[in-house]
Amino acid sequence: MSLWQSKCTPTSLPHRKDFDFPDFRGWWGKIAIVKFEKDPFNVRFVLWGSQLTEWWGVDYTNKLLGEESLSPAIWETVEGRYFKDMVKNPFIGLVQGQLDQHDRSHRKVVGVDLPLIDGNEVTQVILAHLELEEGTTFDDLFPNDPSTRYF
C-alpha cells in the first residue's frame, strides 16, 4: 500500500506505467492485475501470480472474474459490483475470505486492491494477497482499519 501511495500525486492516482516488476520484490507470485473491459463491463485478470494459482487451484491469467469458480454468477454479482463501484468512485479495497468458491475453504486470504488510472479513469487494479495463518484475523493485520465493509 505504501508503494502505491508513493506513486500518487495530490491530484491523481498512479498509472500502471508507474510500477516496474522489481518494485514488487517479496510479493512476486502474490500479485494479480485486473484490467476492466467495457461494453459490457467485465474484469479480466491480465496477471495471476504463481502463489495465487497454488492457493486458488487455478490460473486466472487472461481469464474473466469468476470464470473458473464453482459459481461464476456469484463472482459477477458481488465482486463485479465491487469493481464497478471502484471504477466510478476509486477506493483502496481491503478484502478477506476463504476460497470455498474454488473448493478450498481451508485457505483464508486477505487482499489489498489498489486502483490504477489511465487518463482520468480507473482502468486496472493491482491486487496483493497474503494467506492468513490459522488463528490470524483481518483485524490483526489492520487493527485501525477505518473502512466500511462492502459485503
Side-chain angles (χ1 to χ4, degrees), residues 44-63:
R44 182 171 300 279
F45 291 94
V46 294
L47 173 72
W48 188 258
S50 57
Q51 186 66 61
L52 302 180
T53 297
E54 182 180 319
W55 292 342
W56 266 256
V58 64
D59 182 356
Y60 264 104
T61 301
N62 238 357
K63 300 220 166 112

Side-chain angles (χ1 to χ4, degrees), residues 78-86 91 148-151:
V78 178
E79 282 82 356
R81 192 177 84 231
Y82 165 85
F83 282 120
K84 281 181 183 177
D85 287 351
M86 186 178 283
F91 58 88
T148 302
R149 302 291 184 217
Y150 192 84
F151 53 86

Side-chain angles (χ1 to χ4, degrees), residues 87-113:
V87 169
K88 288 180 191 171
N89 188 18
F91 58 88
I92 294 172
L94 302 174
V95 297
Q96 73 167 337
Q98 283 154 293
L99 303 179
D100 51 350
Q101 281 298 311
H102 291 280
D103 208 18
R104 293 180 173 243
S105 58
H106 63 284
R107 295 212 184 266
K108 187 174 180 182
V109 296
V110 62
V112 178
D113 301 341

Side-chain angles (χ1 to χ4, degrees), residues 4-14 18:
W4 179 85
Q5 288 172 327
S6 75
K7 306 287 183 173
C8 291
T9 70
T11 59
S12 179
L13 297 176
D18 294 332

Side-chain angles (χ1 to χ4, degrees), residues 98-151:
Q98 283 154 293
L99 303 179
D100 51 350
Q101 281 298 311
H102 291 280
D103 208 18
R104 293 180 173 243
S105 58
H106 63 284
R107 295 212 184 266
K108 187 174 180 182
V109 296
V110 62
V112 178
D113 301 341
L114 305 165
L116 303 172
I117 62 169
D118 186 10
N120 292 324
E121 183 179 17
V122 174
T123 58
Q124 296 184 58
V125 178
I126 294 174
L127 302 91
H129 296 84
L130 289 174
E131 184 173 22
L132 293 179
E133 295 180 14
E134 184 77 29
T136 303
T137 68
F138 187 80
D139 293 330
D140 293 332
L141 296 176
F142 301 99
N144 300 314
D145 174 25
S147 65
T148 302
R149 302 291 184 217
Y150 192 84
F151 53 86

